[in-house]
Amino acid sequence: MLRISNLIRASIEGGRERVLDGAIAIWNLTNRCNLSCMHCYSKATLDSEDALTTEEIFATMENMAQNGIKFIIFSGGEPLTRHDIFEIAARARELGVITYLSTNGLYVHKSNVEKIVAAFDYIGVSIDGSEKTHDHFRGLKGSFKLSMEAIKLLVAHSDRVGIRFTLTTQTLDDLPFIFDLAETYHIPKVYISHLVYSGRGLENREMDLSVEQRIEAVKFVLSKAFEYYETNQPIEVVTGNMEMDAIALFEEFSRRYPDHSSLMQDRLLKWGGNSAGRKLVNIDSRGNVKPDPFFPLTLGSIKEKSFGDIWNDSDNTLLTALRIHPRILEGECHECEYLSICNGGSRARAYAVHGTLTGDDPSCYLKSNLSGSAV
């Protein structure tokens, strides 16, 4: 996750950027969902049954807190389909863990919105474009209107709300629309995710952007982040699943604010790029522990071993390799001057295309242009 707005502000004003103290866990509490999204990495369905009990989740969260997990992003499927979701969030809070909710918004209503904003430190709602685009991409006619009603309700009760958007050929033309939504409805955060080849995202890999399309999209996202900073608009811009955006950010920042470029570079090096298996971990709906939600391999199961035993296993060669920084990679990543910043990007995309975790990220838009400007 690249917190573009925060990095711009901190690098210019000399303030403290948001630094992760500990690790983030993305927990897919359920694989049950009322939508059939074209990019869903967990291939969630409405008839899926929960595999983890409340007691198993409580015990694992306690162990996670003891082993350096400071944030949990509760995801799915649709996490609000779990009857115990508020109990789970409350227990996480008791353990000192910051709670995030990733939802499609269809279960957010006037009757529970206050309970939701009280339970979670941040709520992200997925919107994938205008009504026609969103409904097609999400597989349910009318879902856009329901999700937008949820966002309006949430924003009326909290300033800890954002929209999540995934870049694909299906949604690309609606990228400006997403920022228009944020501006019109005073939505505090816009999170732009790049497609990762996992689940339905792997089955529909052909909807990933071309290099040229990605460059133009990233240019636009960066332009909005700088616009919001320079006009003092309180909208935070974040991108995910494309750590190479950090290099594009650095080059555009250096062009606009050359006197502060060295500070930005220092902050990006400290950030360190892709953190799967290092500062990021995933637990899927069946209890499998993975370096990130898209990862093709598992580290173990919380049904068989404690989270701490899995996460701290010094004999696990996969974890050891992921925790070397910068990573030892093959292909164009091997000699890339930006490796210390991006750390090689997505290993799930590398595995999907090259059949190895050490190959270069096939979605990297810097590879053909390493000697010149990133964007």
Side-chain angles (χ1 to χ4, degrees), residues 2-204:
L2 182 68
R3 301 184 185 277
I4 293 173
S5 298
N6 183 262
L7 282 161
I8 292 171
R9 184 169 55 251
S11 297
I12 295 172
E13 299 176 6
R16 182 179 178 183
E17 76 272 31
R18 295 178 66 178
V19 177
L20 179 62
D21 177 22
I24 292 177
I26 301 173
W27 196 333
N28 303 93
L29 288 175
T30 181
N31 207 43
R32 185 171 54 253
C33 188
N34 50 343
L35 297 179
S36 301
C37 306
M38 295 174 69
H39 66 311
C40 180
Y41 58 82
S42 58
K43 299 176 73 172
T45 63
L46 189 58
D47 57 356
S48 293
E49 296 184 2
D50 295 337
L52 300 175
T53 66
T54 309
E55 292 71 25
E56 287 173 319
I57 292 170
F58 278 14
T60 299
M61 284 197 302
E62 183 173 344
N63 194 249
M64 292 166 77
Q66 293 167 351
N67 286 277
I69 302 300
K70 299 295 180 68
F71 295 77
I72 299 179
I73 301 172
F74 294 112
S75 186
E78 171 50 55
L80 289 176
T81 63
R82 281 200 66 118
H83 72 279
D84 54 0
I85 183 63
F86 295 109
E87 295 174 59
I88 292 168
R91 181 58 184 142
R93 286 272 189 83
E94 290 172 0
L95 294 167
V97 176
I98 295 172
T99 57
Y100 283 23
L101 176 69
S102 179
T103 176
N104 60 38
L106 271 63
Y107 288 94
V108 178
H109 305 293
K110 290 180 180 179
S111 60
N112 66 4
V113 64
E114 292 184 359
K115 193 173 183 179
I116 291 171
V117 300
F120 298 97
D121 295 287
Y122 172 79
I123 303 106
V125 181
S126 298
I127 296 287
D128 284 299
S130 60
E131 182 172 0
K132 181 179 179 181
T133 301
H134 178 93
D135 287 359
H136 172 70
F137 197 72
R138 295 266 156 184
L140 179 66
K141 187 174 178 59
S143 60
F144 174 81
K145 289 181 179 178
L146 293 171
S147 294
M148 282 305 304
E149 286 303 313
I151 289 171
K152 293 173 189 177
L153 273 173
L154 290 164
V155 170
H157 287 82
S158 174
D159 61 357
R160 296 170 285 107
V161 179
I163 48 179
R164 302 169 59 87
F165 172 85
T166 300
L167 278 167
T168 70
T169 55
Q170 305 277 330
T171 63
L172 178 60
D173 289 344
D174 286 3
L175 179 59
F177 174 84
I178 293 298
F179 286 92
D180 289 343
L181 280 184
E183 295 164 19
T184 300
Y185 295 102
H186 308 289
I187 302 167
K189 182 184 288 187
V190 177
Y191 175 90
I192 305 296
S193 177
H194 295 260
L195 183 70
V196 182
Y197 310 152
S198 181
R200 293 195 195 107
L202 176 59
E203 294 172 357
N204 296 312

Side-chain angles (χ1 to χ4, degrees), residues 49 55 89 96 170 187 192 216 221 242 258 278-279 293 340:
E49 296 184 2
E55 292 71 25
Q170 305 277 330
I187 302 167
I192 305 296
E216 290 306 308
V221 171
M242 186 61 66
R278 188 166 54 99
K279 290 187 176 183
S340 293

Side-chain angles (χ1 to χ4, degrees), residues 316-333:
N316 189 301
T317 56
L318 174 56
L319 275 180
T320 300
L322 289 172
R323 289 172 179 174
I324 296 171
H325 191 275
R327 291 177 181 144
I328 301 171
L329 301 176
E330 302 167 349
E332 295 188 54
C333 286

